Amino acid sequence: MAAPPPPPLYDKIWLKRTFQRVMDTMILLLLLMLLTYRFFSLLKTFTVPCFLAFLCESWFTFTWIVILNTKWSPAVTITHPHRLLQHYQEAELPAVDLFVTTADPVLEPPIITANTVLSLLALDYPSNKLACYVSDDGCSPFTLYALVEASKFAKLWVPFCNKYNIQLRAPFRFFSTDSNISSSDEQDSHEFKHERSKMKDMYDNLSRKIEDVTAKAIPFPLDGEYAVFLNTERRNHPSIVKVILENKDGVCEGMPHLIYVSREKRPHHPHEYKAGAMNVLTRVSGLMSNAPFMLNVDCDMVVNNPKIVQHAMCILVDSYKGKEVAYVQCFQQFYDGIKDDPFGNQWVSAFQYIIRGMAGLQGPFYGGTNTFHRRSAMYGLYPHEIETGRKEKLAESVLIKQFGSSNEFVKSVATALQGNNSYSPNNDRSPSNFIKEAIKVSDCEYEHDTIWGNQMGWLYGSISEDVPTGINILKKGWRAESCTPELTAFTGCAPGGLLSTIVQQKRWASGLTVVFFGKHSPVLGSLFGNLQFRAGLSYCWLTNWGLRSVYHICYAALPPYCLITNTNFLPKGEGLMIHGALFVIYYLYTIIEYVSIGLSLRQWWNNQRMSIISTMTAWFIGFLSAMVKLLGISDTVFEITRKEHPTTKSCDGNTNNNKIEEEEEEDAGRFTFEDSAVFVTGTTILMVQVTALLIKLLGLQPPPGDHGQSGSGAGELMCSMLLVVCFWPYLKGLFQRGKYGIPFSTLCKSALISFAFVQFSRYTINAA
């Protein structure tokens, strides 16, 4: 009798959310009723405000169709890591290369990167199957110093974590968390407490050394292994590759490889931001370890679940459905989120409803971090070629033309394209033997006349490299899966203030707008590729953020325009019932969604408010930046989001740390401002609304009979008041000073634009 087939390593379950479907459909029907009412009203009486309202409401209806499509079929993935060793012996488990990216030692302090690397080195996975590569785009000796010192500490930290089965394997998280979850019964023992205290002293010493060097509190001689940083500049330096830890011949046994990479940069050579760094790491790792799978994380995303590699492998190597999966996405969650999420950074609701909905289609979008990739898919392999490899690519001359001139790297590509997940190159390859070739493939000119960044790897052309890369993979016919074990996979630091939030949102909107209008648009992927229609439509929710801001600002300008000119864009009497019903039902529905997943009403309001503020400020400026780039006028400026410095609660009583913590507590949740175009936009919107309300309340409007239209009513008044409430922090900023007050230069610019808007409104009504 034949043995039964082994059980699958993961299951995918589609959720039935009947209530959400009913509510989504009801809102769509109301939107369609609104458009029908608008259309027939315009046929009777055409006015410019009503026509603009019709255009905006048409866009809102399209956006809602996109959201409804995305949310309609949510799915969760359940992995079974205990079955993994039933399918594979430990020696047969696939190897994984780990990528960490950092770009600025000031905005991304080396102690943060060191903690992330330590958490990766301590993963609960065979160490000879892991190799960690750190890309330093800041070319900083401080980052290398932090990694070298962290590697010394790792030789004690990793055995400690394995011995006591520690969950939080980033030291600063472990030592700053009151209750450290572990499945070990030994954590209450005297031995554990003694070793923990000893490890904490060593970590405090490590942290102090790194912080002192980073702050230049002690001299840092550029000699020995740091001599390569002499006469280097951040954007003008040769390639630097250093093997810090190497697991071979009994040296560093029980430790993964650790390699530092700083790719070559030259002033007049495009370096393609993070996408360029990721492609360099892919080539360097292909030479040194060539694992069939790769994990990439940002420098602040520490491991929270030490068994996450097993969970991801359950999906990628599953014999039933795993061969179709190009990447596994673990979504960002945060360990330091401010209570009630005042800046809307935590994405809890979006993850539960939107992103799980995408997971039920062709797969979630690639989020740029916390992602496991199949190397052969990143090399351009199609899913139907995974059994045999891409035969036409295996000719060496073809591989050299497509992948570059390094013969050693081409050999590793040929091996990867065979699609064998079980090979374990870490045991057979010594990274130190490939340093010369690694420097070669890290040079600026290596990608010349190849398909890197165009048809394979991380794609160029957008500062949001993750989304076009994900679309390019899915349009080849691959699937993606989300990985959401009960114990969160990775946690990072959320942007700590308004400035960091605005920088991040502006960067995303700019990059996504370029994708929406570029050759990697989801529309083109659905029409000319294998991106499924519903999946492509769901990507429109993501890529049209910037364009969405134009319609929001236009709609927000209608209430003050009508109040100033004593016209209306909203119907009166019974006709206003559709708008009223939409407003009430939508907001009650979103409240129910938030409460049902355990979020507070305060968090709901903060998220709604920040959604409006971000859309009409950061997204709008990002959209304009993208348009300037698409028109070829100027390139986009890449701005790095500041990573907050992790401090432990008992960090040697340093008074400077205490002052920093006090300042952070004082600023937590408060709006701070600076002289930026983003704040000019928000301040202008507020000033225009307040001016219009004053004109209405003081009776300075023209008579309605002069222009053949009924005057402004309660609808316009309520809309304008709602916007003032949403921008209330800006209103407070008008009367405060310092970083909590809006700068005088911003006030002047906004006042001029507001004055121009009022004069334009009066001119149009007089001309009519």
Side-chain angles (χ1 to χ4, degrees):
M1 185 175 179
L9 294 176
Y10 81 99
D11 295 303
K12 191 169 184 176
I13 300 173
W14 277 263
L15 305 176
K16 292 182 179 179
R17 287 178 168 166
T18 306
F19 173 74
Q20 281 82 1
R21 288 185 176 186
V22 170
M23 295 299 295
D24 289 338
T25 305
M26 183 185 300
I27 291 173
L28 177 61
L29 291 175
L30 285 171
L31 285 167
L32 294 174
M33 289 174 59
L34 175 60
L35 291 182
T36 304
Y37 178 86
R38 282 280 189 205
F39 179 76
F40 286 107
S41 296
L42 284 170
L43 290 179
K44 293 179 182 178
T45 307
F46 180 88
T47 64
V48 173
C50 290
F51 176 69
L52 291 176
F54 175 72
L55 291 180
C56 294
E57 288 159 359
S58 298
W59 174 261
F60 300 152
T61 304
F62 167 73
T63 301
W64 190 255
I65 291 172
V66 169
I67 292 174
L68 186 149
N69 159 77
T70 307
K71 294 170 62 178
W72 197 259
S73 308
V76 293
T77 302
I78 300 174
T79 50
H80 307 289
H82 61 281
R83 296 177 183 171
L84 193 60
L85 291 179
Q86 297 175 14
H87 289 245
Y88 298 92
Q89 298 294 325
E90 185 171 297
E92 297 174 338
L93 289 173
V96 181
D97 288 335
L98 316 170
F99 299 163
V100 181
T101 52
T102 183
D104 190 312
V106 176
L107 297 178
E108 299 172 334
I111 186 63
I112 293 181
T113 305
N115 271 277
T116 299
V117 169
L118 285 166
S119 71
L120 291 170
L121 296 178
L123 279 165
D124 188 3
Y125 198 75
S127 60
N128 65 325
K129 304 284 184 176
L130 300 174
C132 182
Y133 298 83
V134 180
S135 170
D136 176 21
D137 258 12
C139 191
S140 170
F142 301 138
T143 301
L144 177 59
Y145 175 82
L147 294 176
V148 170
E149 294 301 315
S151 69
K152 300 173 185 176
F153 176 71
K155 295 173 184 177
L156 299 172
W157 173 249
V158 173
F160 171 77
C161 292
N162 292 334
K163 179 179 180 180
Y164 294 105
N165 200 14
I166 302 299
Q167 172 199 321
L168 300 176
R169 301 199 172 187
F172 86 93
R173 289 281 292 136
F174 177 75
F175 294 122
S176 64
T177 305
D178 294 329
S179 56
N180 297 296
I181 303 171
S182 170
S183 58
S184 172
D185 295 330
E186 299 177 347
Q187 284 222 4
D188 292 329
S189 68
H190 175 74
E191 180 186 7
F192 167 76
K193 293 177 180 178
H194 174 71
E195 289 195 36
R196 182 188 185 281
S197 176
K198 190 175 174 183
M199 292 300 301
K200 186 187 180 308
D201 290 340
M202 286 189 286
Y203 174 71
D204 286 344
N205 184 53
L206 167 70
S207 180
R208 191 182 308 110
K209 287 172 66 177
I210 293 174
E211 290 175 12
D212 286 346
V213 167
T214 303
K216 298 182 181 179
I218 61 174
F220 188 74
L222 293 179
D223 54 15
E225 63 183 326
Y226 302 101
V228 292
F229 293 98
L230 281 170
N231 302 318
T232 60
E233 299 174 6
R234 180 177 173 182
R235 292 181 175 84
N236 187 14
H237 62 85
S239 299
I240 302 172
V241 179
K242 295 281 187 181
V243 177
I244 300 173
L245 285 177
E246 189 169 21
N247 186 344
K248 69 169 187 175
D249 302 329
V251 179
C252 297
E253 188 174 350
M255 297 288 295
H257 301 314
L258 176 59
I259 297 95
Y260 169 91
V261 180
S262 184
R263 61 190 172 121
E264 182 186 22
K265 284 188 177 180
R266 297 303 177 191
H268 303 295
H269 195 286
H271 56 83
E272 305 298 350
Y273 312 111
K274 184 179 175 182
M278 292 300 300
N279 284 334
V280 167
L281 287 183
T282 303
R283 295 195 293 271
V284 172
S285 66
L287 282 166
M288 292 186 167
S289 49
N290 204 24
F293 300 107
M294 306 175 289
L295 164 68
N296 84 281
V297 297
D298 288 343
C299 65
D300 64 314
M301 282 289 164
V302 299
V303 175
N304 191 69
N305 184 337
K307 292 186 179 294
I308 186 55
V309 178
Q310 286 92 325
H311 286 280
M313 291 304 109
C314 285
I315 298 172
L316 289 164
V317 304
D318 180 74
S319 58
Y320 298 95
K321 299 168 286 185
K323 293 178 181 178
E324 305 170 0
V325 179
Y327 63 86
V328 173
Q329 179 68 58
C330 308
F331 288 99
Q332 299 186 38
Q333 297 186 48
F334 305 100
Y335 56 76
D336 64 344
I338 304 174
K339 187 177 184 297
D340 294 326
D341 193 16
F343 304 117
N345 291 318
Q346 297 178 33
W347 279 49
V348 178
S349 178
F351 169 72
Q352 287 290 337
Y353 299 110
I354 301 289
I355 300 173
R356 277 192 173 169
M358 295 183 75
L361 301 173
Q362 199 171 345
F365 69 89
Y366 166 39
T369 183
N370 309 344
T371 314
F372 291 85
H373 305 270
R374 190 182 298 274
R375 185 181 287 271
S376 55
M378 298 306 295
Y379 283 171
L381 199 70
Y382 284 71
H384 63 271
E385 300 168 328
I386 198 168
E387 292 290 345
T388 58
R390 180 173 289 176
K391 295 298 185 185
E392 67 272 19
K393 268 195 172 183
L394 296 184
E396 185 173 343
S397 59
V398 176
L399 288 173
I400 287 176
K401 184 177 180 181
Q402 295 182 344
F403 289 84
S405 59
S406 170
N407 292 326
E408 287 293 338
F409 177 62
V410 164
K411 290 178 185 177
S412 76
V413 170
T415 303
L417 290 178
Q418 298 297 326
N420 182 4
N421 296 335
S422 300
Y423 72 90
S424 183
N426 284 7
N427 293 330
D428 308 321
R429 305 173 74 90
S430 297
S432 57
N433 294 338
F434 295 92
I435 291 179
K436 186 176 180 180
E437 284 295 306
I439 290 175
K440 178 180 178 180
V441 301
S442 304
D443 288 348
C444 291
E445 298 295 334
Y446 184 81
E447 294 181 354
H448 186 64
D449 288 335
T450 68
I451 61 174
W452 283 104
N454 183 21
Q455 299 177 37
M456 68 169 188
W458 276 257
L459 300 191
Y460 303 151
S462 169
I463 56 176
S464 296
E465 79 296 327
D466 44 3
V467 173
T469 300
I471 292 174
N472 185 55
I473 291 170
L474 296 185
K475 75 179 184 182
K476 291 180 178 179
W478 290 99
R479 290 191 304 106
E481 293 286 7
S482 60
C483 185
T484 54
E486 289 186 10
L487 187 58
T488 300
F490 302 92
T491 57
C493 55
L498 181 65
L499 299 179
S500 299
T501 301
I502 290 298
V503 167
Q504 188 178 70
Q505 295 280 340
K506 182 174 66 173
R507 185 178 71 239
W508 287 348
S510 178
L512 293 171
T513 300
V514 171
V515 175
F516 186 72
F517 290 105
K519 62 181 179 179
H520 300 296
S521 168
V523 177
L524 298 178
S526 295
L527 292 176
F528 304 107
N530 293 316
L531 184 64
Q532 297 170 8
F533 174 76
R534 286 189 60 199
L537 194 59
S538 71
Y539 265 92
C540 288
W541 167 79
L542 188 67
T543 55
N544 68 25
W545 283 5
L547 185 58
R548 199 181 308 174
S549 67
V550 177
Y551 291 93
H552 276 259
I553 286 182
C554 180
Y555 208 67
L558 289 175
Y561 175 85
C562 291
L563 291 175
I564 293 168
T565 60
N566 204 10
T567 57
N568 69 292
F569 78 99
L570 293 174
K572 295 185 177 180
E574 295 180 356
L576 193 58
M577 291 180 62
I578 300 176
H579 288 86
L582 261 174
F583 180 86
V584 173
I585 291 174
Y586 172 77
Y587 279 108
L588 283 177
Y589 174 37
T590 55
I591 288 173
I592 292 170
E593 283 191 326
Y594 271 70
V595 172
S596 65
I597 57 177
L599 303 180
S600 65
L601 288 176
R602 180 70 179 180
Q603 186 162 347
W604 166 81
W605 167 245
N606 287 339
N607 281 212
Q608 298 299 315
R609 177 188 66 183
M610 279 306 302
S611 174
I612 292 172
I613 291 176
S614 297
T615 301
M616 291 194 281
T617 57
W619 291 8
F620 181 65
I621 298 300
F623 173 79
L624 296 180
S625 174
M627 289 296 102
V628 168
K629 173 182 172 61
L630 290 170
L631 292 172
I633 299 173
S634 176
D635 200 3
T636 308
V637 177
F638 185 85
E639 297 178 87
I640 301 171
T641 306
R642 177 179 291 276
K643 307 297 191 299
E644 300 300 327
H645 191 288
T647 55
T648 60
K649 291 181 180 179
S650 54
C651 194
D652 67 10
N654 190 305
T655 56
N656 290 330
N657 284 337
N658 293 336
K659 289 180 180 178
I660 291 172
E661 289 177 10
E662 289 175 5
E663 290 178 3
E664 289 176 352
E665 287 180 6
E666 182 183 355
D667 291 345
R670 298 185 65 179
F671 277 58
T672 56
F673 302 92
E674 64 176 21
D675 186 10
S676 167
V678 173
F679 297 112
V680 172
T681 306
T683 308
T684 301
I685 291 170
L686 173 68
M687 284 187 171
V688 166
Q689 305 299 330
V690 171
T691 302
L693 288 171
L694 289 174
I695 290 174
K696 171 72 173 178
L697 296 175
L698 295 175
L700 302 177
Q701 301 167 296
D706 291 350
H707 41 79
Q709 187 183 1
S710 60
S712 60
E716 288 78 16
L717 186 66
M718 293 298 294
C719 287
S720 207
M721 290 176 65
L722 177 62
L723 282 168
V724 171
V725 172
C726 289
F727 280 86
W728 191 260
Y730 279 76
L731 186 63
K732 291 170 63 178
L734 294 177
F735 305 100
Q736 296 191 18
R737 295 290 180 267
K739 60 184 176 180
Y740 302 119
I742 298 173
F744 181 73
S745 59
T746 300
L747 291 174
C748 292
K749 295 171 188 175
S750 297
L752 283 173
I753 299 172
S754 302
F755 178 77
F757 179 84
V758 173
Q759 293 302 113
F760 171 79
S761 301
R762 288 179 169 173
Y763 172 79
T764 57
I765 201 64
N766 290 333

